[in-house]
DNA sequence: AAGAATTCACGAGTGAGGCA
DNA sequence: TGCCTCACTCGTGAATTCTT
């Protein structure tokens, strides 16, 4: 995946340094700061480094632009800190954490959960026709039990094959039905799965139009990015290119952004 | 329509640490 | 010694989508 780093103007990189906490002074060192960061940027990936575009908690914890995960990342101080903070933020449940399209986990501020849900969530009615059988089986168990460890959930749902289970859990996360609620290390390392509804009932009940959702997601991204290159928003959010385009165009119409070239948008206030 | 780029699925490797 | 368990990267090859 040769990422041809289209050169961004230095002033845009500086804007991103500030907005995405890529400076030593802005470095994130504890869970509360991480939550503030997520609320500020709207959404960000968890442990990805500078090789992937977009804001990242790991990069913010490193506090530098070119953060790169080392090979033995669990022996690395910054990486372990990122790991710990990530787990604590998930446990606290103030912000959303889950997998979107492309099976990448991201954090989402509570404010934007209705928007992401509007784009990829499923209504209760759609569940039967859209979800795979294993996913439906798992969901049924969780609706009764509320929360469960991986092992117990596998047993109770009858989805015992590990890869089938993982697939089904990913599927449920993508449609905003299930989230990891806690990561437990003792006595055994396991995830506790819970219903998205248990933590984000109000957000899931808030309806947002598709257009509005695309616009606000694009706005959150552009505000931090300062400028987006062709395909960038789609790559970061998992939206399709046309959808990302709709969001960006809405920002141009509103005067929030200007279009510099096909697929390239700039924050208006940055000129 | 051809060629390029991206995505997807899959598996291996990475760490820890208690337990069989 | 291998098992369990996660998120991530990287490699591969195939499929899909985008660009020109």
């Amino acid at each position: 995946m040769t990422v041809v780093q289209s050169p961004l103007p230095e002033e845009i990189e500086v804007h991103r340094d500030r907005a995405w906490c890529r400076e030593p002074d802005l470095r994130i060192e504890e869970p509360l700061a991480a939550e503030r960061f997520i609320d500020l940027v709207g959404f960000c990936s968890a442990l990805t480094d500078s090789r992937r575009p977009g804001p990242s908690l790991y990069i913010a914890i490193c506090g530098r632009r070119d953060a790169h995960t080392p090979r033995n990342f669990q022996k690395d101080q910054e990486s372990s800190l990122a790991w710990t903070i990530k787990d604590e933020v998930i446990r606290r449940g103030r912000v959303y954490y889950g997998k979107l399209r492309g099976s990448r986990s991201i954090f989402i501020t509570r404010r934007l959960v209705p928007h992401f849900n509007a784009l990829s969530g499923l209504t209760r009615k759609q569940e039967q026709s859209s979800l795979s059988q294993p996913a439906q089986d798992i969901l049924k168990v969780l609706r009764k039990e509320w929360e469960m460890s991986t092992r117990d959930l596998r047993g109770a749902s009858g989805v015992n094959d590990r890869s089938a289970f993982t697939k089904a859990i990913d599927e449920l996360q993508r449609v905003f039905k299930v989230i990891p609620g806690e990561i437990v290390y003792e006595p055994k390392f396991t995830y506790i799965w819970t219903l998205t509804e248990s933590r984000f009932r109000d957000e899931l009940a808030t309806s947002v139009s598709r257009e509005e959702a695309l616009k606000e997601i694009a706005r959150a991204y552009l505000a931090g990015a300062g400028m987006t290159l062709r395909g960038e928003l789609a790559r970061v959010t998992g939206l399709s290119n046309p959808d990302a385009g709709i969001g960006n165009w809405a920002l141009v119409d509103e005067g929030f952004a200007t279009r510099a070239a096909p697929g390239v948008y700039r924050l208006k206030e940055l000129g």
Side-chain angles (χ1 to χ4, degrees), chain A residues 126-174:
Chain A
Q126 295 169 316
E127 285 172 11
Q128 220 177 354
S129 56
S130 303
L131 289 178
S132 70
Q133 195 55 53
Q136 290 188 45
D137 294 343
I138 291 170
L139 191 53
K140 193 174 170 189
V141 172
L142 275 180
R143 289 234 160 95
K144 208 161 91 192
E145 303 290 339
W146 211 243
E147 58 176 35
M148 247 193 196
S149 70
T150 303
R151 174 183 285 270
D152 292 347
L153 189 51
R154 267 206 317 241
S157 65
V159 185
N160 286 298
D161 179 69
R162 203 182 320 156
S163 74
F165 181 85
T166 307
K167 219 177 205 172
I169 280 284
D170 287 357
E171 182 185 347
L172 287 167
Q173 291 185 70
R174 280 197 296 269

Side-chain angles (χ1 to χ4, degrees), chain A residues 73 109 129 197 210 254:
Chain A
F73 63 86
T109 179
S129 56
E197 204 186 334
R210 206 181 153 69
E254 209 185 75

